[in-house]
């Protein structure tokens, strides 16, 4: 194993590693969604190839930030002590030295205290915990925490401007006065406008930005939705570098309807109280599926401003590791498309499906705020297990439509067009396969940026993604796969098309889904996170998607 990976394994990280060294190291500062303010959304992400270089950390949301960093350091810095403990130690040593002085006539106080401080300040790298192998220049956890946010973090990537995602950053800006350059906040323009108007406005908080006559401690990078107009030097469309070793591709998603609705037009008016996307069509019905077409989202995009529902904008980020080409997908708060008046998540799943087929998507971090007993009208723009699984069903369908297969038909063998990708049983870290090189086809999966671009051109050129198979294949597969009726936990009978045929089962096999933004109910009994995990696993048994679910925990690492 790579050094950092081995150290993390010794430190007891809860997430096991695959056979290939991870590309991303994600430190979970906060995994909750409130109402407890000491565990709200905050992540640190780095490319493992950067080896803790200065500026190699990317903060994704910062509802909790510096306080969580200090707390982690206090747990793992062997020489870190609280101010009170240290002061008591100094006083005790001084008193002991005074007693020696009284007997010997020699003042040894300075020597004894200096010896203590010297032994307690090794200025070495940590040997355990999420910050293992990071060399720390200071003695105390708080001083090293300030070092992390001043020197190690280069950019704050913000999904949306709700307080549980930005409050830590806003308060921590007071510690940025000693930085040599402004801290960059990267977000969609509506998020940046909200931060300028409602946070850094000299009323709620001083204007510490470099706009509107501010102090200049913070600067803004306005991301383009879906990166349509961004073009990097290497020709890859839609990605922009946000820190050492990592680029981002940003997609807007919907996060609930604003209380002041600007229009009565909605795509899901009259939704029943007991609406369940597992048993009810997800938006617009489609033949052979219970899932909505992504065309709905595109139709919303083409609406005139006066026809659009006022929804809260959030974002989903595809993070790409420069060294390996692998990616991680991190969502901000997001509502199910089946309930949204402006459904946009389907576009993200379509993009994610391409990366799954390419073998480059290592994992997904997505919210699941409530358990399944929460009624739809009380979700407030969030997901619960039944809705999250419905969203993943849509992703699974897109993967099926893109994934090339080999079929053995009676009396003859027929191959679908593979676009250069050999069939593989699973995706994710270490599980994709590359085609054998030959005279007419280059290896299209690997670390080469150019090789990734060649396959992306094939996929992106398809408006109807099922068009990657030949017309004869389309004709042969017009018949829907056989369906099997199963019962969900609430007793409803649904069509489980994924379990009906081995060929169609486990389309997301190997995909790691990490749950964030769980809202604590502050009651006795089982933790709500335990209930959410159990419900997700129960849905997985029914629909056989193949992905694994893990509840993220504050103070731990995720390796992808």
């Amino acid at each position: 194993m790579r050094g950092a990976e081995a150290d993390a394994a010794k430190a007891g990280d809860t997430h096991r590693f695959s056979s290939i060294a991870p590309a991303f190291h994600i430190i979970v500062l906060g995994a909750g969604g409130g109402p407890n303010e000491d565990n709200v959304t905050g992540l640190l992400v780095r490319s493992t190839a950067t080896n803790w270089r200065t500026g190699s950390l990317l903060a994704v949301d910062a509802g909790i930030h510096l306080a969580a960093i200090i707390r982690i350091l206090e747990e793992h810095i062997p020489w870190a002590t609280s101010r009170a403990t240290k002061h008591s130690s100094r006083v005790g040593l001084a008193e002991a030295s005074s007693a020696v002085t009284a007997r010997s006539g020699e003042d040894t106080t300075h020597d004894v205290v200096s010896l203590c401080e010297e032994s307690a300040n090794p200025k070495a790298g940590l040997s355990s915990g999420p910050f293992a192998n990071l060399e720390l220049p200071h003695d105390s956890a708080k001083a090293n925490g300030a070092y992390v946010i001043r020197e190690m973090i280069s950019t704050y990537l913000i999904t949306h401007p709700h307080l549980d995602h930005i409050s830590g950053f806003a308060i921590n800006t007071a510690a940025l006065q000693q930085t040599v350059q402004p801290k960059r906040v990267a977000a969609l323009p509506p998020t940046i406008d909200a931060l300028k108007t409602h946070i850094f406005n000299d009323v709620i908080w001083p204007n510490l930005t470099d706009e509107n006559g501010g102090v200049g401690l913070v600067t803004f990078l306005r991301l383009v939705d879906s990166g349509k107009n961004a073009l990097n030097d290497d020709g890859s469309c839609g990605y922009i570098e946000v820190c050492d070793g990592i680029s981002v591709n940003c997609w807007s998603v919907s996060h609930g309807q604003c209380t002041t609705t600007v229009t009565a037009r909605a795509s899901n008016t009259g939704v029943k109280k007991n609406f369940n996307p597992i048993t009810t069509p997800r938006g617009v019905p489609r033949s052979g599926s219970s899932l909505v077409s992504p065309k709905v989202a595109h139709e919303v995009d083409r609406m005139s401003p006066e026809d659009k529902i006022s929804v809260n904008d959030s974002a989903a980020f595809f993070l790409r590791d420069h060294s390996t080409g692998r990616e991680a997908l991190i969502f901000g708060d997001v509502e199910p498309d089946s309930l949204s008046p402006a459904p946009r998540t389907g576009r993200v799943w379509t993009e994610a499906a391409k990366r799954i087929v390419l073998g480059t998507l290592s994992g997904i971090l997505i919210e699941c705020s409530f358990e399944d007993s929460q009624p739809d009208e009380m979700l407030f723009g969030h997901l619960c297990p039944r809705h999250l699984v419905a969203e993943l069903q849509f992703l699974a369908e897109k993967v099926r439509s893109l994934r090339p297969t080999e079929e053995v038909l009676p009396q003859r063998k027929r191959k679908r067009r593979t676009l250069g990708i050999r069939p593989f049983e699973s995706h994710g870290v270490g599980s994709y396969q590359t085609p054998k090189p030959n005279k007419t086809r280059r290896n299209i999966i690997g670390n080469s940026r150019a090789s990734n671009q060649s396959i992306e051109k094939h996929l992106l050129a398809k408006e109807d993604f099922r068009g990657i198979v030949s017309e004869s294949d389309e004709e042969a597969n017009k018949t829907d796969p056989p369906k099997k009726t199963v019962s969900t936990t609430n007793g409803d009978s649904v069509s489980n098309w994924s379990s009906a045929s081995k060929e169609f089962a486990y389309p997301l096999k190997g995909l790691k889904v990490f749950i964030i933004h769980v809202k604590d109910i502050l009651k006795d009994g089982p933790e709500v996170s335990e209930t959410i995990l159990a419900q997700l696993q129960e849905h997985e048994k029914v629909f056989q998607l193949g992905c694994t679910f893990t509840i993220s925990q504050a103070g731990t690492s995720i390796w992808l």
Side-chain angles (χ1 to χ4, degrees):
M1 288 191 294
R2 187 178 292 183
E5 182 180 354
D7 289 334
K10 289 188 293 184
D13 274 333
T14 57
H15 309 302
R16 297 178 64 85
F17 307 104
S18 65
S19 58
I20 288 184
F24 293 100
H25 176 203
I26 301 174
I27 300 174
V28 183
L29 300 179
N36 194 337
E37 74 276 11
D38 75 345
N39 185 28
V40 288
T41 306
L43 304 170
L44 296 179
V45 185
R46 70 182 180 96
S47 166
T48 57
T50 59
N51 294 320
W52 294 110
R53 288 198 296 264
T54 299
S56 63
L57 277 178
L58 172 69
V60 180
D61 284 341
I64 189 168
H65 193 56
L66 179 58
I69 294 172
I70 292 174
R71 184 162 58 227
I72 292 172
L73 292 176
E74 285 176 338
E75 293 175 356
H76 294 282
I77 296 180
W79 63 89
T81 57
S82 68
R83 181 176 182 179
T85 302
K86 196 164 195 177
H87 176 73
S88 299
S89 299
R90 289 173 59 92
V91 170
L93 286 169
E95 291 175 348
S97 179
S98 297
V100 172
T101 301
R103 291 194 300 269
S104 64
E106 241 179 86
D107 187 0
T108 60
T109 302
H110 179 269
D111 295 335
V112 172
V113 174
S114 297
L115 179 62
C116 172
E117 292 186 336
E118 184 177 321
S119 62
N121 188 18
K123 305 292 191 302
L126 295 181
S127 60
S128 66
F131 291 100
N133 293 331
L134 172 62
E135 293 186 3
L136 299 174
H138 303 292
D139 179 20
S140 66
K142 63 181 181 180
N144 284 310
Y147 166 77
V148 169
I149 69 169
R150 289 169 181 163
E151 304 296 333
M152 299 302 299
I153 298 173
S154 61
T155 302
Y156 289 81
L157 193 59
I158 305 298
T159 60
H160 65 293
H162 284 174
L163 284 176
D164 58 330
H165 294 257
I166 58 98
S167 59
F169 167 72
I171 295 173
N172 297 160
T173 52
L176 300 180
Q177 298 181 49
Q178 300 179 31
T179 56
V180 296
Q181 58 186 6
K183 286 298 176 184
R184 183 168 56 178
V185 173
L188 289 169
T191 296
I192 290 177
D193 290 344
L195 292 175
K196 289 178 56 180
T197 303
H198 302 294
I199 302 297
F200 298 108
N201 58 5
D202 284 329
V203 178
I204 301 299
W205 199 250
N207 182 8
L208 303 181
T209 76
D210 58 359
E211 299 185 10
N212 300 336
V215 176
L217 300 183
V218 175
T219 190
F220 293 117
L221 173 63
R222 291 165 174 82
L223 300 176
V224 177
D225 183 8
S226 77
K228 294 177 182 177
N229 298 322
L231 188 65
N232 292 341
D233 293 337
D234 64 357
S236 60
C237 184
Y239 288 82
I240 183 169
E241 184 171 350
V242 285
C243 77
D244 186 10
I246 297 177
S247 293
V248 65
N249 176 232
C250 177
W251 291 79
S252 64
V253 294
S254 296
H255 173 33
Q257 189 170 331
C258 297
T259 54
T260 54
T261 306
V262 297
T263 175
R265 177 172 179 174
S267 59
N268 286 288
T269 55
V271 174
K272 295 180 180 179
K273 182 177 180 180
N274 61 349
F275 181 83
N276 185 342
I278 291 181
T279 59
T280 307
R282 180 182 185 271
V284 179
R286 194 157 52 129
S287 174
S289 172
S290 64
L291 305 176
V292 70
S293 168
K295 291 180 180 179
V296 172
H298 297 309
E299 289 171 0
V300 171
D301 287 342
R302 291 197 295 268
M303 290 181 187
S304 60
E306 60 272 14
D307 287 335
K308 285 187 177 181
I309 288 287
S310 178
V311 297
N312 294 307
D313 287 318
S314 185
F317 300 126
F318 286 99
L319 302 182
R320 176 178 287 178
D321 172 51
H322 295 175
S323 177
T324 63
R326 297 214 299 272
E327 302 192 34
L329 173 58
I330 301 179
F331 279 86
D333 293 358
V334 60
E335 66 183 347
D337 273 0
S338 57
L339 301 181
S340 177
R344 293 180 279 181
T345 312
R347 304 180 306 171
V348 181
W349 295 135
T350 299
E351 293 298 312
K354 300 172 188 176
R355 291 154 175 80
I356 289 174
V357 173
L358 287 169
T360 59
L361 185 61
S362 298
I364 297 173
L365 279 75
I366 189 168
E367 69 131 288
C368 192
S369 298
F370 303 102
E371 46 105 356
D372 272 339
S373 67
Q374 192 84 353
D376 289 342
E377 62 269 22
M378 298 296 289
L379 288 175
F380 304 112
H382 293 288
L383 293 173
C384 61
R386 65 181 183 273
H387 285 292
L388 175 53
V389 169
E391 294 292 329
L392 292 173
Q393 278 185 283
F394 182 76
L395 171 62
E397 185 185 76
K398 301 309 296 183
V399 170
R400 283 192 183 94
S401 69
L402 286 172
R403 178 164 287 166
T405 61
E406 286 188 0
E407 297 178 56
V408 180
L409 299 181
Q411 300 180 0
R412 70 184 181 96
K413 185 174 182 179
R414 178 173 58 127
K415 291 185 179 181
R416 292 188 180 186
R417 280 191 286 162
T418 64
L419 298 184
I421 307 179
R422 292 169 59 199
F424 46 88
E425 295 180 354
S426 61
H427 74 285
V429 180
S431 59
Y432 57 86
Q433 300 181 16
T434 57
K436 295 179 181 180
N438 56 39
K439 295 181 180 180
T440 60
R441 184 176 64 189
R442 63 183 299 181
N443 184 342
I444 63 170
I445 297 180
N447 297 343
S448 168
R449 293 178 179 176
S451 63
N452 276 341
Q453 294 162 23
S454 65
I455 183 63
E456 287 172 359
K457 289 179 181 178
H458 283 286
L459 295 177
L460 294 172
K462 305 294 181 181
E463 279 295 323
D464 181 358
F465 300 104
R466 288 173 295 178
I468 65 171
V469 298
S470 65
E471 292 182 3
S472 60
D473 286 340
E474 285 283 2
E475 189 69 26
N477 289 282
K478 280 185 178 179
T479 303
D480 290 334
K483 299 180 181 180
K484 178 180 178 182
T485 299
V486 297
S487 296
T488 63
T489 52
N490 60 9
D492 295 323
S493 294
V494 297
S495 294
N496 179 15
W497 35 265
S498 64
S499 64
S501 168
K502 183 177 180 180
E503 177 186 352
F504 287 88
Y506 308 116
L508 304 181
K509 184 177 180 181
L511 179 65
K512 300 174 182 177
V513 180
F514 295 91
I515 303 303
I516 56 177
H517 204 270
V518 174
K519 290 184 176 291
D520 197 341
I521 57 176
L522 303 179
K523 294 181 179 179
D524 293 332
E527 294 290 336
V528 66
S529 59
E530 297 175 5
T531 304
I532 288 173
L533 180 59
Q535 291 173 347
L536 287 170
Q537 292 172 340
E538 182 66 25
H539 293 320
E540 166 59 27
K541 290 179 183 178
V542 173
F543 291 96
Q544 298 184 15
L545 299 175
C547 53
T548 60
F549 296 101
T550 302
I551 302 294
S552 300
Q553 300 291 336
T556 63
S557 291
I558 296 173
W559 301 83
L560 294 173

